[in-house]
Amino acid sequence: MKQKLGMLLVTSAMFIGPAAAQDAASLLQAANRAIGASAVNSVVYSGTGWMGYPGQSFATGDLPRTDLKSYTLTVDYASKSSKEDFVRVQGNNIPRGGGAGFPVQGEQKVTNFVSGNYAWALNPQGQPNPQPAAAQDRQFMMWLSPHGFIKAALESGNATVSDRYFVRQDRTVKVVGFTTMGNRRVTGEFIKTICSSG
């Protein structure tokens, strides 16, 4: 799923001159002031839900899935590190074909870490298991929150801005794009809103 999400955010590279880069920096700084992104040092997400695997066989109807009994993601932006903990159990639908991690027998606890260029997980006995190939994906996922995106774009030094017109909405938005670790191009859409008090 992480790779699929990454693919959804990829845009074609385009040449934009220094003026556009300056506009991107101004837009990002204004967004930073508006939501206080630079003041956010860490964040914790938690919840429950389910995990599916798009693209598996027998994709007509409900996808094979596992239920998430618990989920917690803790991100520390300053150290570029995160810890992801979740407990999964077999979903309420019976898998009809192959799939990653199916079927789940009982509860499975998963703990994943990333710190800079290093990634690892804990095995069922609680011992670290290096996962160097996962570092780029886990770093990439850290920067996809609104405040994470602003922090990463400002830090990248290569952010650009362009306009994108949406015909159905008859609206133009500013699109900021930058290249992350692993040369992935990420874009975020910024909509100007006007608030009034009465």
Side-chain angles (χ1 to χ4, degrees):
M1 181 61 180
K2 290 180 181 177
Q3 190 62 32
K4 180 65 81 174
L5 181 58
M7 296 301 292
L8 291 173
L9 294 171
V10 172
T11 61
S12 58
M14 59 180 87
F15 178 79
I16 300 178
Q22 180 59 45
D23 290 344
S26 299
L27 177 62
L28 288 164
Q29 289 163 358
N32 182 33
R33 286 189 300 275
I35 71 167
S38 59
V40 177
N41 296 319
S42 61
V43 65
V44 177
Y45 302 98
S46 64
T48 59
W50 58 272
M51 179 185 293
Y53 297 90
Q56 296 297 317
S57 301
F58 305 101
T60 58
D62 203 10
L63 292 169
R65 68 176 191 243
T66 56
D67 288 338
L68 292 177
K69 188 174 179 181
S70 64
Y71 180 88
T72 304
L73 174 65
T74 304
V75 176
D76 182 78
Y77 292 112
S79 65
K80 296 184 172 135
S81 61
S82 72
K83 176 184 178 186
E84 178 185 50
D85 267 315
F86 59 90
V87 175
R88 62 186 194 161
V89 296
Q90 179 60 50
N92 62 9
N93 63 340
I94 304 300
R96 294 166 293 182
F102 294 107
V104 173
Q105 301 297 323
E107 291 185 359
Q108 277 186 347
K109 181 171 173 37
V110 177
T111 305
N112 296 318
F113 297 90
V114 67
S115 182
N117 295 325
Y118 300 96
W120 66 98
L122 297 182
N123 68 18
Q125 293 75 36
Q127 300 165 325
N129 177 24
Q131 297 180 323
Q136 286 185 5
D137 285 343
R138 292 181 191 166
Q139 280 286 332
F140 179 72
M141 295 303 289
M142 281 180 23
W143 303 113
L144 295 183
S145 65
H147 41 276
F149 179 92
I150 292 168
K151 285 174 174 287
L154 283 168
E155 190 177 295
S156 74
N158 62 38
T160 58
V161 66
S162 60
D163 290 333
R164 183 176 297 155
Y165 177 70
F166 290 92
V167 175
R168 288 187 180 183
Q169 298 176 357
D170 190 27
R171 175 167 62 182
T172 300
V173 299
K174 295 287 185 190
V175 179
V176 173
F178 66 98
T179 304
T180 66
M181 176 181 176
N183 292 322
R184 292 180 178 171
R185 185 86 176 148
V186 184
T187 62
E189 297 170 356
F190 289 77
I191 301 168
K192 183 177 180 181
T193 59
I194 300 172
C195 299
S196 60
S197 58

